[in-house]
Amino acid sequence: MKTLGLFRHAKSDWHDAVARDFDRPLNGRGRKGAKLMGRHIREDGRTWHRVLASPAVRVAQTIEIAGEGSKSRLPVEWDRRIYLASSATLMDLLREQEGDPGAIIMVGHNPGFEDLIFDLVPEDGQDALRNIVEEKFPTATYAVLELEIDDWADVEGGCARLVHLMRPRDLDPALGPKASPRED
């Protein structure tokens, strides 16, 4: 069995006049959400053997803020392919992992993460966590999947169970949805 964590970047600043989407930073709400979710991920107590992340500014800031106060930090493996990747690309990245880590956490973007969950976790209509993801996989959400595989090379559709899902609003209702034109 393998464990896959997905941590979507925190809320970004759509009002920042950066030239490229890639360079968009977190806003104040995003910084609060990243800190809160970083604490939750530590308290969740899982051991991650590898961190794969998009090098986008908002992802790097999410990792930095979420990791504050952590006693041990794994080196981050930055991979540009994660930036706005499709589910198929994310699965390919997992399949090529070497050294057979038991648990990988990816930090990146939607819609790729949401679609990856839909592809890996079979739909049976009874999975309450998957049903929440069908509604929305908001910024700074943390999900954990258990994959019924022995090697990352064997990742395929339908091989996982979603065993944990936490959104910032679950820990602090003030970080819930706001009436805004963009929810990224």
Side-chain angles (χ1 to χ4, degrees), residues 16-141:
D16 192 299
V18 294
R20 302 181 315 160
D21 174 75
F22 185 88
D23 298 322
R24 197 160 22 95
L26 297 182
N27 65 16
R29 192 167 151 214
R31 286 187 287 280
K32 289 176 188 171
K35 185 175 182 177
L36 181 68
M37 294 308 292
R39 185 172 39 241
H40 172 75
I41 292 169
R42 283 188 298 282
E43 290 170 356
D44 185 42
R46 296 176 203 274
T47 300
W48 299 105
H49 302 123
R50 185 165 294 160
V51 179
L52 303 175
S54 160
V57 169
R58 59 192 178 272
V59 172
Q61 289 179 334
T62 297
I63 291 169
E64 179 182 343
I65 293 167
E68 289 174 1
S70 179
K71 291 184 173 91
S72 64
R73 289 220 238 184
L74 288 173
V76 176
E77 295 180 26
W78 304 102
D79 194 318
R80 181 130 181 146
R81 294 174 294 173
I82 297 172
Y83 175 67
L84 305 180
S86 67
S87 173
T89 298
L90 295 171
M91 277 200 253
D92 287 344
L93 283 165
L94 291 170
R95 287 184 193 113
E96 66 187 43
Q97 293 306 300
E98 296 179 1
D100 201 30
I104 295 173
I105 186 166
M106 282 184 156
V107 189
H109 311 268
N110 245 4
F113 279 5
E114 186 174 291
D115 291 342
L116 183 62
I117 291 170
F118 296 151
D119 289 343
L120 292 176
V121 179
E123 181 179 8
D124 64 5
Q126 304 300 311
D127 187 331
L129 296 179
R130 190 180 191 284
N131 292 341
I132 291 170
V133 174
E134 286 182 14
E135 290 175 25
K136 187 163 190 166
F137 194 77
T139 52
T141 294

